[in-house]
Amino acid sequence: TLMNGLYTFDGGSMSLSAPGFQLLNLTIASEGRPLDLGFALPANAPFNGLLSNAIINTAGGDVRFGAVQTVTSPALGTSASAPWISSTQDFAFAIENSLIDAGAGSIRSGGASSTGTGASITGSQLDARSIALAGRGEGGSAGLVIEASALRATEVLSLDGLAAGTGTGLHIPSGTTLQVLAGTPNPNGRFALRGESVGGGLGLQIEGTTTAPTRLVATGVPMIIEGRAAGAIALDIVGETNARELLIDALGATSLTLQGTTQGSSTFATIVENARILGAQGVAGAPTLLQGDVVGGTGPTSMLVQAADLSAGGTLRLSAGQGLTVMDSLLNGEGGLALVAGTAG
């Protein structure tokens, strides 16, 4: 445990490996050159990792929470090799009420819990060229939760949540800002959100309220928001009462794709409700696609758009494999509007 201190460096690197760590009420900063930071736990550690009420400024150095490894569980299978904190506790890794500024560097972490939430970011701000976070949750808990926080990248923002049981794969409650501001088109950049639940929970859920609106913004990169589920809603984009509470702004993006796929379900695969979506216009002919597919299901429709405001500079395309329902919404495609429905009409 490190707490209640000011730790300054003139660049270089600092690493910590332990069965668990807590960084509390402290500041870690570089006063000159880039500072690389690494914090690691052994696989299936009996403790977890926590950053709370902390400030980290690396002057462009990289921040890594977790050892580069794969993690495995019977319910979720084997992960890709990446920084992971693997724990038997009710959460593996959490950042709360903290500020991390990596400048031109990167922030990477993954949390995998065999009994609870994989990873969570709450009440915090993360700034970097590239931010990549992942979470794997079990026991009915979420994989990755980003709540009341701001994650701001200039090239890559990648959030990936996977859950077993009834947990939500990737959950973004109200009051969160996620952005990639790359400016001109960047072939190496992306804004990617992916959530999956394999046991009856929601795949990816994004929420907003009047008092705590949610904003997702991308410029110069493709914007991909994807949910997958089994027997439940795969992609759930829902404001509380009106479209001003949840904004997906892809005006400067090179493309926008929102896609939900659910297996064997009688419910919607994709829901967009009380939300405003500004389609991609970052390059000529930038595509904007909203899609919902039910695989092996019996429901009448696979996508619902209700009380929403959807627009695109090019063609706005809504594609539903088993039927499409649009209610009390405004759809505007300056380059055309395509509504494509499958077997349910």
Side-chain angles (χ1 to χ4, degrees), residues 219-288:
T219 66
V221 299
M223 194 176 198
I224 304 167
I225 301 174
E226 180 184 6
R228 301 184 68 88
I233 299 167
L235 179 58
D236 193 30
I237 300 174
V238 181
E240 186 178 32
T241 59
N242 62 72
R244 293 187 299 273
E245 299 166 346
L246 201 165
L247 171 65
I248 297 177
D249 181 354
L251 283 175
T254 57
S255 64
L256 172 61
T257 302
L258 293 90
Q259 182 171 5
T261 305
T262 189
Q263 296 280 340
S265 173
S266 59
T267 188
F268 299 104
T270 298
I271 293 179
V272 178
E273 184 176 357
N274 292 319
R276 186 182 186 197
I277 297 176
L278 304 177
Q281 299 184 39
V283 295
T288 296

Side-chain angles (χ1 to χ4, degrees), residues 49-51 90-98 109-112 116-124 126 133-136 142-147 149 151 170-171 173:
L50 173 64
L51 181 72
D90 57 357
F91 72 89
F93 176 63
I95 298 175
E96 58 184 34
N97 304 319
S98 294
S109 182
T117 298
S120 65
I121 313 294
T122 306
S124 297
L126 279 60
L133 306 174
R136 291 162 57 101
L144 175 62
V145 180
I146 311 293
E147 182 173 6
S149 296
L151 277 58
L170 172 57
H171 188 194

Side-chain angles (χ1 to χ4, degrees), residues 8 35 53 70 76 83 86 118 123 142 147 187 199 208 290 316 334 337 339:
T8 60
L35 171 67
N53 297 304
T70 60
L76 298 177
S86 174
E147 182 173 6
L290 283 73
L316 175 62
E334 294 181 12
L337 176 64
L339 305 180

Side-chain angles (χ1 to χ4, degrees), residues 306-343:
Q306 183 171 355
D309 183 348
L310 313 181
S311 64
T315 299
L316 175 62
R317 181 181 178 88
L318 278 65
S319 176
Q322 277 194 299
L324 169 66
T325 299
V326 179
M327 302 172 60
D328 304 319
S329 295
L330 174 62
L331 309 182
N332 179 25
E334 294 181 12
L337 176 64
L339 305 180
V340 181
T343 56

Side-chain angles (χ1 to χ4, degrees), residues 70-131:
T70 60
V71 291
T72 302
S73 78
L76 298 177
T78 301
S79 74
S81 180
W84 288 101
I85 293 174
S86 174
S87 175
T88 58
Q89 297 297 301
D90 57 357
F91 72 89
F93 176 63
I95 298 175
E96 58 184 34
N97 304 319
S98 294
L99 170 64
I100 302 177
D101 186 350
S106 65
I107 301 171
R108 297 187 300 153
S109 182
S113 171
S114 59
T115 59
T117 298
S120 65
I121 313 294
T122 306
S124 297
Q125 180 174 311
L126 279 60
D127 292 278
R129 174 188 55 81
S130 175
I131 301 172

